[in-house]
């Protein structure tokens, strides 16, 4: 408890010292996650070298590595966003702006490393670490292929998640969860008495939940990384 500057009475508050302690703990977790994702990317390129050593063409091995890396990026970003949100909530920030700033820094730091680690490896280290370098076409060709596969995969999967998932969620809620029909989109009612056209509030109620802070942070992070 502390004395209020306004009323002079004892008021309950969250200690800044305790908040800094939680922020430091979150920073350690973020650093650990970044180290883990660097290790995963390194493992992908170790597998790529293994494939080349056992007769797979360098171009084909790079394609396989790029596809696996693109899938890893999507999965790791999704899982990490959930973790970063819980870590930021745990820090108990006083204002929404403080919360969003803390969450933004966590998400961008991780996604930057997760998205670019393979590019930096191919561009600056592959030719020195691997015996055959990047294959007969050189590292810039491998880098371009890696960039194209990861960029297109993220673009397609991102649009699917942002557009189709909310649509399918709303359709499921209206047509199955609530067991009513909506403008002939579905025909899943138990009886004709249950059939009706939704009003606007009912349609909005059935839609997927929209978290403004998380959505804006994710959108700006996606644009910045692209």
């Amino acid at each position: 408890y502390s004395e209020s500057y306004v009323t002079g009475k004892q008021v309950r508050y969250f200690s800044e010292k305790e908040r800094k302690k939680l922020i430091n703990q979150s920073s350690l977790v973020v650093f650990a996650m970044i180290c883990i994702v660097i290790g995963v990317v390194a493992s992908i390129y170790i597998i790529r070298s293994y494939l080349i050593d056992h007769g797979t063409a360098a171009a084909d091995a790079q394609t396989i590595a790029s596809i696996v890396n693109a899938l890893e990026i999507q999965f790791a970003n999704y899982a990490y966003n959930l973790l970063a949100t819980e870590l930021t909530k745990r820090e108990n920030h006083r204002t929404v702006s403080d919360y969003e700033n803390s969450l933004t820094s966590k998400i961008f730091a991780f996604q930057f490393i997760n998205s670019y680690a393979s590019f930096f490896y191919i561009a600056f280290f592959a030719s020195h670490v691997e015996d055959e370098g990047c294959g007969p076409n050189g590292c810039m060709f491998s880098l371009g292929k890696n960039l194209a596969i990861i960029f297109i995969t993220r673009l397609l999967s991102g649009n699917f998640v942002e557009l189709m998932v909310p649509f399918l969620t709303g359709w499921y809620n209206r047509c199955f969860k609530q067991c009513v029909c909506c403008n002939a989109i579905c025909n899943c009612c138990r009886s004709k008495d249950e059939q009706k056209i939704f009003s606007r509030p009912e349609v909005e109620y059935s839609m997927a939940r929209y978290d403004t802070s998380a959505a804006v942070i994710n959108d700006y992070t996606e644009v910045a990384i692209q």
Side-chain angles (χ1 to χ4, degrees):
Y1 288 85
S2 178
E3 185 177 316
S4 171
Y5 294 112
V6 179
T7 64
K9 297 180 180 180
Q10 291 291 313
V11 294
R12 187 179 181 183
Y13 81 107
F14 191 76
S15 170
E16 191 65 27
K17 182 179 180 180
E18 183 66 21
R19 180 178 292 110
K20 288 181 179 179
K21 177 182 176 182
L22 294 174
I23 291 175
N24 290 334
Q25 292 175 0
S26 298
S27 300
L28 289 176
V29 173
V30 173
F31 179 75
M33 294 300 296
I34 289 175
C35 291
I36 290 173
V37 80
I38 290 175
V40 171
V41 173
S43 300
I44 292 173
Y45 281 88
I46 290 174
I47 295 174
R48 171 182 174 273
S49 299
Y50 176 84
L51 293 175
I52 294 175
D53 292 340
H54 286 74
T56 305
D60 295 336
Q62 179 58 53
T63 301
I64 295 172
S66 297
I67 293 173
V68 174
N69 188 207
L71 296 176
E72 176 272 327
I73 289 173
Q74 294 300 105
F75 175 78
N77 283 345
Y78 175 77
Y80 177 80
N81 283 359
L82 298 178
L83 176 62
T85 301
E86 293 304 316
L87 289 175
T88 309
K89 289 179 180 177
R90 182 171 174 264
E91 294 167 2
N92 195 25
H93 291 281
R94 189 173 66 86
T95 64
V96 175
S97 296
D98 291 339
Y99 170 84
E100 291 179 345
N101 290 338
S102 179
L103 182 60
T104 301
S105 61
K106 289 184 183 67
I107 290 178
F108 187 81
F110 178 83
Q111 290 199 10
F112 180 86
I113 300 297
N114 189 34
S115 300
Y116 287 109
S118 62
F119 301 145
F120 277 98
Y121 173 78
I122 295 173
F124 299 108
F125 300 105
S127 60
H128 304 288
V129 175
E130 300 177 14
D131 294 335
E132 297 183 11
C134 300
N137 296 316
C139 288
M140 288 301 101
F141 178 81
S142 297
L143 181 62
K145 177 183 288 188
N146 191 46
L147 174 61
I149 292 175
I150 291 176
F151 182 80
I152 293 173
T153 301
R154 291 197 61 175
L155 192 65
L156 294 178
S157 61
N159 287 331
F160 177 82
V161 171
E162 292 177 2
L163 299 177
M164 292 303 298
V165 170
F167 172 79
L168 294 175
T169 301
W171 176 77
Y172 172 79
N173 289 338
R174 289 191 295 272
C175 297
F176 290 94
K177 194 173 181 180
Q178 298 179 5
C179 198
V180 290
C181 287
C182 43
N183 298 329
I185 292 180
C186 59
N187 186 24
C188 54
C189 302
R190 295 177 181 173
S191 66
K192 292 183 179 180
D193 295 335
E194 293 175 336
Q195 297 185 22
K196 67 174 182 178
I197 297 177
F198 275 112
S199 64
R200 179 173 176 178
E202 289 174 311
V203 172
E204 293 179 352
Y205 177 76
S206 68
M207 290 180 176
R209 183 171 178 264
Y210 185 80
D211 187 335
T212 305
S213 295
V216 171
I217 290 171
N218 290 332
D219 288 342
Y220 275 102
T221 302
E222 179 183 0
V223 172
I225 289 177
Q226 286 183 1

